Amino acid sequence: MSASYSPAAGVTLALLGCLAFTPGPAPAQEIPKTPADSVRGADTIPTYRTEEISVRVARSDRLLIHLPFSVAVVERAAFQDARLAVSLDESLRFVPGLFVHNRRNFSLGDRLTMRGLGARAQFGVRGMRVLSDGIPLTFPDGQTALTNLDLASAGRAEIIRGPASALYGNAGGGVISVSTEIPPSDSAYLEPLFLAGSYGMFQGRLKAAGSAAGFGYVGSVNYLDSDGFREHSSARLFRGNLVASRSLGDRGEIRALANFFRTPYAQNPSSLDLDDAVNRPRTVRPAIVAQGAAEIATQGHGGAALDLGLGETARLRAVAWAGGRDVWNAIPGRIIDLGRFWGGVRTEIGTRLPGPASAVRLAGGVDLELQRDNRAEFENLGIQEPGGRAMEGDLILSQGESVVGLGPFLQLEADLGARWTFAATGRFDLYRFEADDRLLSDGDDSGTRTFSEFSPTVGLTWSALDPLNLFANYSTAFQTPTTNELSNRPDGQGGFNPELEPERIQGVELGMRGSLGEARFGYGIAAFHSEVKNALVPYEGATDQVYFRNAGRVERSGVELHLAWSPLPSLGTRMAYTVQRLRFVEFETPAGDFSGNAEPGVPDQWLVIGLVHSAPFGLQTELDYRWVAAYPVNDANTAANWSSHVIDLRATLDRTADGFPLRVFVGIDNLLGERYNGSVVPNAFGGRYYEPAPGTVVYGGVSWPLALTGG
């Protein structure tokens, strides 16, 4: 089970050099008009018209064909049709370049990597910005908790792959922007849903949506209870989400968002060594149970967004948000008690300059973010009785932490004739991290770290033909360490690690995308090459505590392909393939010189193929095949995660009897029972790299989308 790398991958990279890619097009979302439409979503078998797709993730309403970088659009069906709605792996697996490590661990959540960036995350997401209805789920220090992302009511995701600091600041890997579904027009519905599945999974959801007289809303509440595939992995959680909007007519819209998440107890089974992962994948290390490894978390946030036209050519967008988070996290050796408040304001104004056909467009704005943490860490005395909670011992660390970020940006887009578009964006970011040491018995470790960076991006698109759109860009980006990464010091002292520096990235990308509407075919290909200085690399201590250090220089390059084709109106196919090369160029540590080795924790190749069929009597069937190549799990490349082949099957039946709609669905994940790992822990202590995925998982559910008003 050692790592192996396909010669074809090397040949492909040698031939294509430093190119870059964009996922295939997706249909623009239609507003559902009936409860059945609301459940199913319009056009489950999509048509493909790249020239008609408009996206907002680039901080302005722009057609996809005018964007000089890789953008994917994922529609509602990928989030809601016969899905468990607990992991982004279910929804975003057809976005090439984006790899979702489904840890099936509710105390840690998914780990996401984008073109190699993000593998360092011990929990949550690093290296990319995540937005929910325009409001950041990413904290000012760069860490993202996906717990408040309500996948069960998501209607659309827009994803930028590659450096995006010129648009969003601390976003070296890209951006994921998820929007709640569009409410039905001039009507309302209520939809209860119940789901049960393997390993004690139970979900209850209630969603309501409607609109009238310019006011619209979508609200949902979810409850989940799971025993978990592995021992010591049970979890229970509650989630609520509400999005309301008020139309301002032709001038724009006001939107408000409120979100709440609570997990009263989510056990953490941690990782296993190779022998246990292969032969005893459901087990957990006795020390993990004895130390009561688990998390208790509460998080809520809210905000408002204004989209307002200023005259005929200018537009103002402003977003303000605030939130709070409390986390109690027991890990071997210590217990972390963290209280966090964060908030911010984002403003931008765009306009068209006078001239022929308004060929020049300008946009600019300023982002302001702040974060305040109260962090306390205690000795972990372990559990005192079976099933109990870990007991807190002596206080090890107590400090206040703050982050303030300021980022003005300016964006220019110009049409150079009928088929060429030039775009340039520049942004200057200033981040100030401050630690106030409150445990002075071992000295005062208070201090500050200040990071600043100017991030430019320039790009060019050429609409060579109606079905062919070419693009190229040069981008720079940076990624600061998070407060958690800075405060986890190998020397055990308080304050922030003075040796840890931000990642700095520069790269190029070339790609093409297009569609043949009559043939119902869409495609995208892109290739990228980037150089990362001071890449943040994790390594684990004996007590599962994760520390970080900088690698001198890393090079990443790859090719990404997406194809989608509907040979029949009732039949759709799609494919996403990624091949990439991630290598340490200069990386020497006390453990050895790893220059020339592959970066651990991210596969060099993976392939996803999907088939969807809609029958005239309301039955929709989906089949996904996923292959992931073997990849190294430590800096020395002496251990690897083995390759896997996984097949998932889903079916949904929509029926209406006497005007009463009913939807029944069933899913089988890992149909053939493949033994594989959903995620790994790079550089884990004692060879405990592996987080096993379950064998065959069966689930099913039923929902009733009930019309309340309208038709």
Side-chain angles (χ1 to χ4, degrees), residues 190-212:
L190 180 70
E191 181 191 356
L193 181 148
F194 297 97
L195 180 152
S198 303
Y199 308 112
M201 169 71 75
F202 173 80
Q203 289 190 55
R205 308 174 194 162
L206 181 64
K207 181 166 58 179
S211 61

Side-chain angles (χ1 to χ4, degrees), residues 20 68-70 161 163 457-460 471-475 507-510:
F69 41 80
S70 296
R161 304 196 314 282
T457 294
V458 294
L460 192 66
F471 66 90
N473 71 70
Y474 166 80
S475 302
V508 294
E509 180 181 19
L510 297 174

Side-chain angles (χ1 to χ4, degrees), residues 93 622-624 626 646-650 668-670:
R93 61 180 52 169
E622 297 181 64
L623 183 71
D624 292 348
R626 295 175 284 148
V646 179
I647 296 175
D648 300 332
L649 177 65
R650 295 177 294 274
I668 306 176
D669 290 345
N670 195 2

